[in-house]
Amino acid sequence: KQWYQRRVAITAGGRLVKDGMIKKIEEIYLFSLPIKEAEIIDFFLGSKLKDEVLKIMPVQKQTRAGQRTRFKAFVAIGDYDGHIGLGVKCSKEVATAIRGAIILAKLSVIPVRRGYWGNKIGMPHTVPCKVTGKCGSVLVRLVPAPRGTGLVSAPVPKKLLNMAGFEDCYTCATGQTATLGNFAKATFAAIAATYAYLTPDMWSPTVFTNSPYQEYTDYLAKPFVKQPKKEVKY
C-alpha cells in the first residue's frame, strides 16, 4: 500500500481507491467498475498475489531486411484464494514482455466462485457446476469433484486452477492443447464462467446501493490537479 501511495492515481476508480472511498475489491466487481490501473489490484491484493510465467515464445514477422523477432510472454497471477488473472504481452525484450504481461494480468483479475460436490460441509473446494471455456480450437471443461480428489488436470490448467483457489476438480480438454496460449485462455474463460451461472442460492433479490461513481460524484467532479514534480538538485 505504501508503494501505491507514492503514485498519482489517474482514473476515477483509482482516485476512489487511493482515498479510501472504495474499501473492498468486491465493491468494484459488484458494480462492474473498470480496472484501468494495476495499482488498484496491488492495493487490495498486493501481498497475497503470486505470479508465474507460463511460457515465453519467440514470434517473427517477415520484413524486407529478414525477420523481426519479438518475445511473447504468458503470465498467470493469483492469490490462491478466489482471484486470478491472465496476461499476454509481446515485446522486443524478454524482461519487458514479462513486466507488461504482469501488468495486464493484474488488470484482468477476476473473482472466482467456488462450490461443493455434495453436502455443503466445510469450506467450498471445487467448481460450483460444470463450466466450459473455449479459445481457438481448445475447449476446456471443468467438472466438480469430491473432496480429496485433487486437481485432475494437465499441467497448464492445474497451475491456473491452483492459483484460483480450487482444491478438487476434474477437467476435460479437446482441441490443439499443445498451443499453450489458447489452452491457458480457455481455462481462464472456464474459471470466469463460474460467476456467470445464476444458481438457486443466488435467487434472493440483491439490494443495490448507489455506485461509487454516483455516491462520490461531487468528489470526482473536483478538478484533478497533477502534483508538480520536485526538482532534484545534484
Side-chain angles (χ1 to χ4, degrees):
K1 291 189 180 182
Q2 292 171 351
W3 178 73
Y4 182 78
Q5 301 296 346
R6 278 184 268 147
R7 192 181 171 280
V8 177
I10 299 164
T11 60
R15 288 170 64 193
L16 292 177
V17 168
K18 189 176 179 187
D19 297 329
M21 290 165 186
I22 293 177
K23 293 176 177 64
K24 290 189 292 184
I25 196 167
E26 279 68 34
E27 289 179 46
I28 293 173
Y29 296 131
L30 179 65
F31 294 102
S32 301
L33 304 181
I35 298 174
K36 293 180 180 176
E37 292 179 272
E39 287 77 17
I40 292 173
I41 299 298
D42 284 322
F43 186 84
F44 289 117
L45 307 173
S47 58
K48 291 186 277 185
L49 279 181
K50 300 280 184 290
D51 56 73
E52 187 164 340
V53 179
L54 300 178
K55 189 178 186 181
I56 295 164
M57 57 185 283
V59 290
Q60 290 183 325
K61 178 186 177 182
Q62 191 70 36
T63 61
R64 280 187 300 179
Q67 291 96 5
R68 187 192 67 184
T69 304
R70 293 200 297 170
F71 297 96
K72 193 176 183 182
F74 295 91
V75 172
I77 198 165
D79 64 350
Y80 296 84
D81 190 25
H83 297 96
I84 188 155
L86 182 69
V88 183
K89 179 68 178 172
C90 200
S91 183
K92 287 178 186 174
E93 293 176 19
V94 174
T96 318
I98 292 172
R99 211 176 309 123
I102 289 171
I103 291 168
L104 291 173
K106 284 176 183 174
L107 295 179
S108 72
V109 165
I110 53 165
V112 177
R113 187 172 177 217
R114 289 168 289 179
Y116 298 91
W117 173 79
N119 286 344
K120 295 179 171 60
I121 298 170
M123 297 298 287
H125 61 101
T126 185
V127 284
C129 55
K130 293 175 187 174
V131 286
T132 310
K134 193 169 190 296
C135 181
S137 71
V138 183
L139 187 140
V140 173
R141 189 168 189 237
L142 307 180
V143 181
R147 206 181 286 276
T149 305
L151 299 172
V152 183
S153 165
V156 174
K158 198 172 207 172
K159 281 177 188 171
L160 291 168
L161 291 167
N162 190 25
M163 280 184 160
F166 292 111
E167 293 166 28
D168 312 289
C169 187
Y170 291 128
T171 62
C172 164
T174 60
Q176 191 68 25
T177 53
T179 312
L180 187 141
N182 287 356
F183 202 9
K185 284 178 183 176
T187 309
F188 185 68
I191 292 169
T194 54
Y195 260 117
Y197 282 94
L198 187 65
T199 48
D201 57 336
M202 295 171 78
W203 284 357
S204 54
T206 306
V207 182
F208 284 106
T209 53
N210 281 341
S211 157
Y213 285 177
Q214 207 170 353
E215 195 175 338
Y216 301 109
T217 186
D218 294 334
Y219 169 79
L220 292 171
K222 290 177 188 173
F224 174 60
V225 181
K226 216 171 184 183
Q227 299 296 324
K229 284 188 178 178
K230 291 179 182 177
E231 287 185 21
V232 181
K233 292 179 181 177
Y234 295 103

